[in-house]
Amino acid sequence: MRVSILSLTAFAVAIEAQELYLTTTGYAARPQCTKQSTPKYHFQPFSYTLNETVRYATSVPSPTTTRTYAPAYTDIAKHLTTTWSTSTWGSWVPEQTVISATDTDDPYGQAAWSSMWLQADLEDYTTTGLFSTTVSSTPVPSSELVLPPRDYFGPTDCYNFPKDFVFGVAGSAAQIEGAVALEGRSPSLLEKLAPGNKPKDYVTNENYFLYKQDIQRLAAMGVEYYSFTIPWTRILPFALPGTPVNQQAIDHYDDLITAVLDAGMTPVVTMLHFDSPLMFRASENYTIRPDIGYINAGYQNETFVDAFVNYGKVLLAHYADRVPIWVTFNEPLLYAFNFKGVDHVVKAHAQVYHFYHEELKAKGRIGIKFNDNFGVPKDPKNASHVLAADRFQEMQLGFFANPIFLGKQYPKSVLKTLPGAKPLNDSELAYIKGTSDFFGIDPYTATVVSPADEGIEACASNKSTSNSLFPYCVNQETKNVYGWNIGYRSQSYVYITPTHFREYLFYLWNTFRHPILVSEFGFPVHAEASRDLSDQLFDSPRSVYYLSFMSEILKSIYEDGVHVMGALAWSFVDNWEFGDYSQQFGIQAVNRTTQERSYKKSFFDLVDFVKSRQPKKA
Ligand SMILES: *[C@@H]1O[C@H](CO)[C@@H](O)[C@H](O)[C@H]1NC(C)=O
Ligand SMILES: *[C@@H]1O[C@H](CO)[C@@H](O)[C@H](O)[C@H]1NC(C)=O
Ligand SMILES: *[C@@H]1O[C@H](CO)[C@@H](O)[C@H](O)[C@H]1NC(C)=O
Ligand SMILES: *[C@@H]1O[C@H](CO)[C@@H](O)[C@H](O)[C@H]1NC(C)=O
Ligand SMILES: *[C@@H]1O[C@H](CO)[C@@H](O)[C@H](O)[C@H]1NC(C)=O
Ligand SMILES: *[C@@H]1O[C@H](CO)[C@@H](O)[C@H](O)[C@H]1NC(C)=O
Ligand SMILES: *[C@@H]1O[C@H](CO)[C@@H](O)[C@H](O)[C@H]1NC(C)=O
């Protein structure tokens, strides 16, 4: 509705403007430009006037108080029915002692742990990075904090962010940590994901050792929230309930959270970001389909729900006192996509939510975050295209969000299409309803959607595996109805689509009726990785992406009445993009030889945009 009102207004303005710009109706009218002037050429003395005042990024202030959101672990442990034993394991270094460990009778001993790595059978596994212990942080020199020249065009809004707006940056463990087989971590699906010669996640950014400096660099830029993820395979190497908790991992993330708080920032923690334990895999086959993601990646395993809930409880019991915002699952669709997988995610998520608010009586917020590149109808005036877009949203989002946010049944399209789909019963719906305090969404871009050529019905009833559009049964494109790209293209699937983003926020808020956390958004600039460092750092397309999206968030809040709770930029640093380093989503670059980080221009531009729109002091 909002869109049609806007286009009517534009039409009226175009008619008014016709007298001034008479030749064509095609180019944009400029109703504000009523005065025409005539040039008056003249001579004047010349001087260089383009000197600028140098500006520096300002660090977040040091913390003065520590807020707590739940009782501390020692208090919680007393009244929980679950207790956890702890242990430590070594590091898996091929052909060294831990492999020949002698505690073969212990199901969770060193030998059992090592055998998981042997079974994982990694090609070319190496632990070789630059670091093997935690590196302490040093202050960021002010020379690195000078703001870059501004781009010529920029946002022209006059809005400020609400005072409780969560602004920050995000990253995920497997994409930055490295040290995958060190200090007790067991193999995750991601170590098996990148076959052949593709880069592995074994070393990446060595953030497992460099987290203190990485946090320091964010604080120096003035970033308030740092969103990171904790790997299940570090906390519980044997994954399942009743198996021992890895004390080294508990200590590591304890220290990381302390480092975030000491730097004056606030942590946001995601429990599962694609790195589920390898033992849940249903098969050797990790089929990758761009629209569906990684099939057979374990969420459908019968042991998954109880195991995830146990893991979630371990994290919350240890860290909920200091972490105010929690996410259970990152983009579960990409890993869960069959009926059972999603059903498991919905049920596991709900249990963790109830534990957080009812057993821990914690006072922060806990939710879930989804992927869905907003499906926009190719021809919005064609009812069948609108139905196709609705179906796309239902299968990617409504599937999870109907029960979790509204207590509503799985969508009919899902129940009718997916093999093995079963409705939730009333007591399940009542238990699942309202189990997310916010709607997390990673709205990188938009996708142009129209019905499958044979029609949705015919496609949906043809469950043949060679039917490549099944189960969505819609065409997905990146061009609009007139054949233009939907926006400026990145290195990968992301196009700059800020106006679709605003429409999307409108859709999400009015459909699922919960505050929206834009939990990831970002732009891998085309061919950035092949450019000289100084050219990589001057990343104007990424600035355009971020500032336009942030500007649309403000309009969404103030003009559409949409509650956007916050926005977390992806990613705080270039990282391992699941077998690829050429898609650089970072707002900092990394030298892969020295592990040196450099701020990109877009990082300054984004922070400057937010800082210059702080709430007015009352
Ligand atoms: C730029 O240089 C001129 C001449 O030295 C000086 O008057 C002016 O204050 C400078 N402007 C800024 C912003 O530094
Ligand atoms: C399910 O996970 C368990 C580990 O909990 C594993 O032993 C089993 O093989 C998995 N099942 C399938 C079908 O992969
Ligand atoms: C894995 O894929 C291969 C080739 O498509 C197939 O032959 C095999 O049956 C699959 N294995 C499983 C367990 O699905
Ligand atoms: C609407 O879209 C369908 C499917 O793409 C197409 O067959 C039909 O001709 C379109 N109708 C109109 C009025 O454009
Ligand atoms: C709903 O399903 C659950 C299993 O998930 C079962 O325990 C319960 O008895 C069912 N309730 C009703 C009312 O059918
Ligand atoms: C099902 O889809 C496949 C692959 O697109 C196609 O070859 C086959 O003819 C379809 N079957 C029916 C009954 O439409
Ligand atoms: C990484 O750093 C090394 C050492 O300073 C330098 O020689 C190299 O050119 C850098 N690599 C890139 C891609 O900038």
Side-chain angles (χ1 to χ4, degrees):
M1 205 159 69
R2 181 170 50 76
V3 170
S4 63
I5 290 170
L6 279 183
S7 50
L8 275 181
T9 316
F11 183 59
V13 167
I15 292 179
E16 263 175 45
Q18 263 181 8
E19 274 180 289
L20 288 173
Y21 306 97
L22 58 162
T23 49
T24 167
T25 52
Y27 292 96
R30 296 178 302 155
Q32 74 278 17
C33 307
T34 48
K35 221 171 88 201
Q36 291 289 330
S37 17
T38 331
K40 294 195 181 75
Y41 305 112
H42 57 292
F43 295 106
Q44 286 173 84
F46 173 80
S47 66
Y48 296 95
T49 53
L50 287 179
N51 51 349
E52 285 177 45
T53 322
V54 63
R55 294 196 299 145
Y56 293 93
T58 6
S59 173
V60 287
S62 301
T64 48
T65 53
T66 319
R67 282 192 58 188
T68 58
Y69 306 89
Y73 180 67
T74 43
D75 298 328
I76 289 169
K78 277 179 247 159
H79 77 86
L80 286 182
T81 47
T82 326
T83 54
W84 297 284
S85 63
T86 58
S87 189
T88 56
W89 295 268
S91 295
W92 185 66
V93 183
E95 285 150 40
Q96 285 185 23
T97 47
V98 284
I99 294 174
S100 53
T102 51
D103 54 354
T104 45
D105 292 342
D106 183 348
Y108 309 124
Q110 193 70 61
W113 180 84
S114 297
S115 81
M116 287 193 284
W117 280 106
L118 283 173
Q119 282 161 24
D121 187 26
L122 303 187
E123 305 155 49
D124 310 326
Y125 170 76
T126 170
T127 55
T128 312
L130 297 180
F131 303 96
S132 54
T133 54
T134 302
V135 176
S136 35
S137 65
T138 50
V140 180
S142 61
S143 59
E144 285 195 49
L145 294 168
V146 177
L147 266 66
R150 288 179 203 253
D151 285 322
Y152 185 75
F153 291 109
T156 54
D157 66 278
C158 302
Y159 298 121
N160 292 323
F161 285 97
K163 70 173 181 338
D164 57 356
F165 191 84
V166 170
F167 167 68
V169 297
S172 95
Q175 294 177 267
I176 55 172
E177 278 188 349
V180 294
L182 306 187
E183 301 197 351
R185 186 184 180 281
S186 69
S188 85
L189 287 162
L190 293 183
E191 281 79 68
K192 296 296 282 181
L193 182 71
N197 302 327
K198 290 192 169 176
K200 308 293 195 287
D201 65 346
Y202 306 155
V203 173
T204 63
N205 293 4
E206 298 194 65
N207 170 270
Y208 190 74
F209 300 117
L210 295 174
Y211 59 96
K212 291 191 170 169
Q213 187 63 19
D214 276 337
I215 290 163
Q216 180 92 23
R217 290 183 63 81
L218 299 178
M221 286 292 284
V223 172
E224 285 152 25
Y225 287 82
Y226 175 41
S227 171
F228 59 92
T229 79
I230 297 181
W232 188 345
T233 53
R234 283 200 200 279
I235 300 291
L236 287 153
F238 293 89
L240 300 177
T243 64
V245 169
N246 178 4
Q247 189 60 48
Q248 280 184 297
I250 293 292
D251 296 344
H252 177 84
Y253 293 101
D254 205 88
D255 195 49
L256 195 156
I257 289 166
T258 303
V260 173
L261 294 169
D262 285 352
M265 298 166 69
T266 305
V268 177
V269 175
T270 296
M271 297 175 174
L272 184 52
H273 190 109
F274 298 149
D275 47 1
S276 50
L278 188 60
M279 67 167 69
F280 295 126
R281 68 181 151 174
S283 80
E284 291 296 329
N285 294 345
Y286 305 96
T287 320
I288 299 179
R289 248 174 72 173
D291 55 339
I292 291 181
Y294 314 107
I295 302 176
N296 290 341
Y299 288 14
Q300 63 270 39
N301 187 300
E302 294 304 336
T303 63
F304 183 83
V305 174
D306 287 349
F308 180 81
V309 172
N310 173 65
Y311 162 59
K313 288 180 180 179
V314 173
L315 290 188
L316 293 173
H318 283 89
Y319 307 130
D321 55 341
R322 286 156 295 156
V323 174
I325 302 179
W326 288 88
V327 175
T328 53
F329 288 91
N330 164 67
E331 304 189 354
L333 180 80
L334 291 181
Y335 261 34
F337 205 89
N338 60 28
F339 176 76
K340 211 188 227 179
V342 176
D343 192 59
H344 281 172
V345 167
V346 167
K347 288 171 179 169
H349 165 82
Q351 286 190 50
V352 174
Y353 181 93
H354 285 292
F355 175 81
Y356 180 76
H357 282 301
E358 285 143 39
E359 282 191 60
L360 287 190
K361 303 200 181 339
K363 299 277 179 280
R365 288 173 280 188
I366 184 164
I368 182 166
K369 75 197 260 281
F370 304 113
N371 64 292
D372 174 43
N373 298 321
F374 188 36
V376 296
K378 184 166 181 178
D379 176 2
K381 292 194 286 296
N382 185 322
S384 76
H385 291 213
V386 172
L387 276 177
D390 284 347
R391 178 183 171 90
F392 183 77
Q393 257 77 251
E394 273 176 16
M395 297 207 91
Q396 299 219 71
L397 283 181
F399 197 176
F400 300 94
N402 273 11
I404 291 175
F405 292 90
L406 305 171
K408 268 175 62 178
Q409 191 52 263
Y410 290 135
K412 284 205 182 67
S413 50
V414 165
L415 292 173
K416 278 169 69 180
T417 310
L418 287 188
K422 277 201 330 221
L424 295 160
N425 70 30
D426 288 347
S427 55
E428 288 171 324
L429 281 172
Y431 181 77
I432 295 164
K433 179 179 183 173
T435 55
S436 190
D437 298 320
F438 53 85
F439 194 107
I441 190 74
D442 298 351
Y444 282 89
T445 190
T447 302
V448 178
V449 168
S450 57
D453 295 347
E454 69 268 39
I456 286 175
E457 290 298 320
C459 166
S461 57
N462 180 355
K463 301 184 197 314
S464 144
T465 47
S466 59
N467 182 355
S468 64
L469 294 187
F470 185 83
Y472 294 176
C473 294
V474 303
N475 291 308
Q476 297 180 47
E477 296 169 68
T478 53
K479 291 193 167 64
N480 75 12
V481 69
Y482 302 109
W484 280 99
N485 275 358
I486 192 168
Y488 181 81
R489 188 178 182 170
S490 68
Q491 173 73 17
S492 64
Y493 66 92
V494 183
Y495 291 72
I496 303 183
T497 55
T499 53
H500 290 301
F501 171 57
R502 176 168 167 200
E503 186 176 54
Y504 193 24
L505 294 172
F506 192 87
Y507 164 82
L508 293 173
W509 168 246
N510 291 298
T511 307
F512 299 111
R513 306 191 167 223
H514 279 69
I516 298 163
L517 177 63
V518 178
S519 36
E520 286 181 23
F521 66 130
F523 189 81
V525 174
H526 177 72
E528 190 180 75
S530 61
R531 307 181 70 191
D532 287 348
L533 180 64
S534 59
D535 297 333
Q536 294 193 31
L537 300 185
F538 207 105
D539 57 340
S540 292
R542 187 177 284 107
S543 289
V544 170
Y545 177 93
Y546 276 125
L547 300 200
S548 65
F549 271 54
M550 292 303 276
S551 192
E552 292 300 310
I553 286 178
L554 287 170
K555 290 185 207 162
S556 184
I557 292 172
Y558 291 103
E559 295 174 27
D560 302 342
V562 174
H563 185 169
V564 184
M565 165 184 147
L568 303 168
W570 182 276
S571 177
F572 79 90
V573 68
D574 287 338
N575 63 29
W576 180 73
E577 191 62 25
F578 309 108
D580 186 12
Y581 282 110
S582 69
Q583 291 178 57
Q584 298 190 156
F585 279 88
I587 50 180
Q588 294 182 75
V590 181
N591 182 313
R592 303 239 159 256
T593 313
T594 62
Q595 289 293 357
E596 200 181 344
R597 279 69 157 141
S598 312
Y599 297 118
K600 296 183 193 173
K601 170 176 150 65
S602 60
F603 198 165
F604 291 96
D605 288 346
L606 177 57
V607 174
D608 198 29
F609 180 93
V610 175
K611 296 285 168 190
S612 58
R613 288 164 179 76
Q614 291 303 293
K616 294 268 174 291
K617 298 242 158 43

